Amino acid sequence: MKRGVRAGLAGPALVAALAGCFGPQPPMFDDGRSQRVVSWRGGLPVAPGADGTWVLHQDSTGIFGQGTKLARFPDRPADEAPAAAGGRKDGEVPGWSVELPPEFALTSKVPGSPNSALSDPGSGSMVVLVGGRPGRTGPTDVARVDTEHGTLAWRHGLANGALVSYSGEGSSSVLVEAACAPDGCRVTGWDPWSGQQRWERTEPGATSVLDGCGRDALFRNAHRCETYLVSGERMARVNSETGEPHWVEGLRLPEGRIDRVGLQADDRLIVVTAPAEDDCRAAVVGSAVTSGTGDEGWRLDITWDQPQSARDPATGCRWDRTVPLDAGFRLVVPDAQGAYVLNPYFGTLRPVSRLAPGEYPVPDAGRTIVRAPGRADRDLNDPASPVRPSGLGPEAVVVGEGFWQDGRQLYLYGRDGRMLWRTESACRANLTRHGALRYCDGGELVLLSPVARK
């Protein structure tokens, strides 16, 4: 078997080997002892967008959303045989489909922006809609979806100019409503389950609020969500239980507007500035830390240039803030002379490598592909390995363990690299939490499950 083609093989295979010491393993699509069975098939009440994806797609609950349509599809355990006609089997999650109010139309893929959705990063079982109304440039309403029944559990209006973000974790998590004016920022904490207010306070002198898990997130899978206040050269983390600001020691903000922010290992705060309008200069700064022996922080000055991006009309720079900078445990920071690749915790305190000029990172199901015009794609972490099975195009994506999708073509490859199965899908396929493959057969949604042969 060629290394690299079967994305994520080593980790799951090792877990399976270890778990085998304690009991039988559940069926898997290519374990040699299971068959592929259509365990559910039904109508598709929410059609995907032109690119085959939904604006809202929450794997943990099976919720999909596009436009004003929101639905939860049934999601049976992967080892369940096809259901008999009529009735409901134990463990089956009932589905529903609803039409959202116009102000909650799902039109934005940026969480926290008007007409978008937030999800609790801890449990992944909550959906909060952030709505907008004509005549207002920012969010106007917020509501939580009852994911079991498809109704709005609560909703309330937002102050003019306010932004909404998630903060904290577990029982201390809150929805933070923040509105800034020349004299400071007012922040309000709302209980995400009940919609009741927990706290409210105003911070004089604060000029802006950053969402560390949503619209301003440096890391796509932040281990803890934080809301930040910016005041002059200082930045504070907002306490999710009280709203009190905790000013970050050992961090002096660089000149320019803070564009993205992220937390590493609980004590290293990393900020990235937006490119300057005259020369596209920007900075990446890591705060001093208190863990271990500590240090005085680090700074990297760059000339912002993303080869894959069009020039931003406001700055004239090749800059798209929706393009992720994190690549697994590393950052890939754009620069005109070649992107920097560094450990975000240590930054310039340890050796930093660079990509060749013109190369840029492409996220791909937990790994990072390096791409450049006229060059073969390569894996950032394993350059010598092929990045996809032979015959698949550069836009082919990993769907899950062994599954690949290239346009409308859906494939399953075995551990030896052989193609085991092929079909078409009118939407982007994905694996459910029970290990079933969910894809679209024309206007129908299909669940394909691995079932042990008897």
Side-chain angles (χ1 to χ4, degrees), residues 307-347:
Q308 74 272 42
S309 303
R311 294 201 177 274
D312 173 56
T315 63
C317 310
R318 292 201 291 185
W319 171 56
D320 182 352
R321 75 185 305 266
T322 66
V323 174
L325 303 183
D326 60 331
F329 65 91
R330 290 181 288 185
L331 286 181
V332 181
V333 183
D335 183 73
Q337 300 303 313
Y340 290 93
V341 182
L342 51 88
N343 183 308
Y345 187 81
F346 296 102

Side-chain angles (χ1 to χ4, degrees), residues 218 266 365 415 450:
L218 178 56
D266 293 329
R415 288 179 170 81

Side-chain angles (χ1 to χ4, degrees), residues 211-298:
D211 176 4
C213 266
R215 61 186 175 272
D216 310 309
L218 178 56
F219 303 109
R220 285 167 292 170
N221 297 307
H223 70 286
R224 188 177 71 210
C225 285
E226 301 278 1
T227 300
Y228 300 90
L229 285 170
V230 178
S231 180
E233 295 181 342
R234 300 191 303 163
M235 178 177 287
R237 294 159 61 180
V238 176
N239 186 304
S240 61
E241 296 184 351
T242 65
E244 181 182 358
H246 295 281
W247 299 100
V248 180
E249 297 182 2
L251 174 67
R252 182 175 180 179
L253 295 180
E255 294 183 359
R257 180 176 61 81
I258 303 302
D259 179 59
R260 280 180 255 188
V261 60
L263 187 67
Q264 278 281 300
D266 293 329
D267 63 350
R268 172 86 79 191
L269 190 64
I270 302 169
V271 298
V272 182
T273 64
E277 294 183 17
D278 53 349
D279 56 9
C280 298
R281 298 290 292 173
V284 186
V285 175
S287 68
V289 297
T290 57
S291 62
T293 57
D295 62 63
E296 297 304 315
W298 57 268

Side-chain angles (χ1 to χ4, degrees), residues 382-405:
D382 194 0
S385 296
V387 299
R388 62 185 66 87
S390 177
L392 297 188
E395 301 305 318
V397 296
V398 178
V399 171
E401 184 66 13
F403 287 99
W404 288 77
Q405 187 164 357

